[in-house]
Amino acid sequence: MSTRRDGTVHRKTRADAPEGYFQAEAAGLRWLAEAESDGGARVVEVLDVGPHHIDLRRLSQAPATPAAATDLGRALAITHSTGAAAFGTPPSGWHGDAWIGRQPQTNNPERSWGRYFAEQRVRPFVRKAVDVGHLAGSDARVVDAVCDRISAGAYDDDRPPARIHGDLWAGNVVFTSVAAVLIDPAAHGGHGLTDLAMLELFGCPYLEQVLTAYANASGLPARWRRLIPLHQLHPLATHTASHGPGYAAGLVAAARAVA
């Protein structure tokens, strides 16, 4: 992946991009941006997209502040509440393949959050991690046992599908002088806690302000923080598969922390 900055345009290019790679990103950005008019999180503007590039409105970074982080938490709650047709549903206007970073993943709609999350977001990357030698078979069985419970609906709740970013680590949140702006999504219908869990996993400026503002705006249950390891299974499995065995211990620890 390479980038080119030219005036107000930020161009990302990838010569070996799979078919639809940048089109999926553009669809995700536009889908998330639909919530902006209702106070949802700011999203970088798509200017142009092609098979091997995407042109985005160039952002001017500014230092993060507690106020901006609080605003981000509130705005993210609004974006999530804009909703999706089902768990795992792709952004409107896109029906092809999906990716998180360079890793392919599926966006097949499911009525059950647990089934979608276990079977489309955790197990495929656990299998890949084992296949490439980054995760021991005994550790994979620990995660698979948790996935059995997740898939069976043990952690489903009555919250409807949320419109989530899907890859919300700090590097995909750009603080500007106006607001925090979201970039590089793996957008789909999911559970709002998944975005929060990734922010907590990899850190974010003034994280506590983001989380508290989100929880207050979205009416999360009092003990929601206990569910964070559950929602971190996806990014930890993804990173174990793609970045190496250094993430395996965190993945297994998260699985064991799921009550």
Side-chain angles (χ1 to χ4, degrees):
M1 184 85 73
S2 63
T3 61
R4 188 187 76 192
R5 296 172 176 82
D6 182 16
T8 61
V9 179
H10 177 89
R11 168 166 285 195
K12 295 166 52 181
T13 62
R14 180 181 170 186
D16 64 344
E19 183 178 356
Y21 183 81
F22 286 114
Q23 287 82 357
E25 179 179 346
L29 289 167
R30 290 166 174 151
W31 190 56
L32 294 171
E34 290 176 4
E36 285 189 36
S37 60
D38 293 324
R42 299 287 187 95
V43 180
V44 68
E45 182 183 358
V46 178
L47 302 175
D48 185 53
V49 63
H52 301 288
H53 80 278
I54 186 170
D55 287 342
L56 306 169
R57 181 73 63 190
R58 186 177 178 184
L59 301 173
S60 296
Q61 290 186 259
T65 66
T70 297
D71 289 344
L72 172 60
R74 294 194 193 105
L76 189 61
I78 293 171
T79 298
H80 287 173
S81 70
T82 304
F87 296 109
T89 195
S92 58
W94 182 249
H95 302 288
D97 294 333
W99 293 268
I100 180 165
R102 290 190 172 216
Q103 298 295 306
Q105 60 185 11
T106 56
N107 277 341
N108 298 321
E110 288 276 3
R111 295 180 64 184
S112 161
W113 173 81
R115 180 170 173 78
Y116 132 77
F117 190 72
E119 308 303 335
Q120 296 188 53
R121 288 297 180 267
V122 185
R123 283 202 215 265
F125 294 104
V126 170
R127 289 194 293 268
K128 184 179 293 187
V130 172
D131 290 344
V132 298
H134 295 170
L135 185 68
S138 57
D139 288 338
R141 287 190 288 274
V142 173
V143 184
D144 270 328
V146 174
C147 283
D148 288 343
R149 302 203 306 271
I150 298 170
S151 188
Y155 303 95
D156 285 5
D157 56 28
D158 60 356
R159 298 181 78 87
R163 186 171 301 200
I164 70 171
H165 179 282
D167 192 11
L168 196 62
W169 68 290
N172 288 340
V173 179
V174 179
F175 284 90
T176 74
S177 60
V178 177
V181 181
L182 308 186
I183 65 172
D184 295 354
H188 62 280
H191 196 296
L193 283 180
T194 301
D195 276 348
L196 300 193
M198 191 173 288
L199 280 177
E200 185 165 296
L201 180 63
F202 296 112
C204 177
Y206 302 104
L207 176 63
E208 190 56 36
Q209 281 85 347
V210 176
L211 298 180
T212 299
Y214 179 95
N216 291 339
S218 63
L220 290 180
R223 303 176 77 183
W224 65 268
R225 291 177 189 263
R226 298 186 65 179
L227 296 171
I228 290 296
L230 167 65
H231 291 268
Q232 288 176 340
L233 291 174
H234 174 220
L236 286 167
T238 303
H239 279 71
T240 303
S242 63
H243 288 64
Y247 286 93
L251 172 60
V252 176
R256 287 179 170 147
V258 176

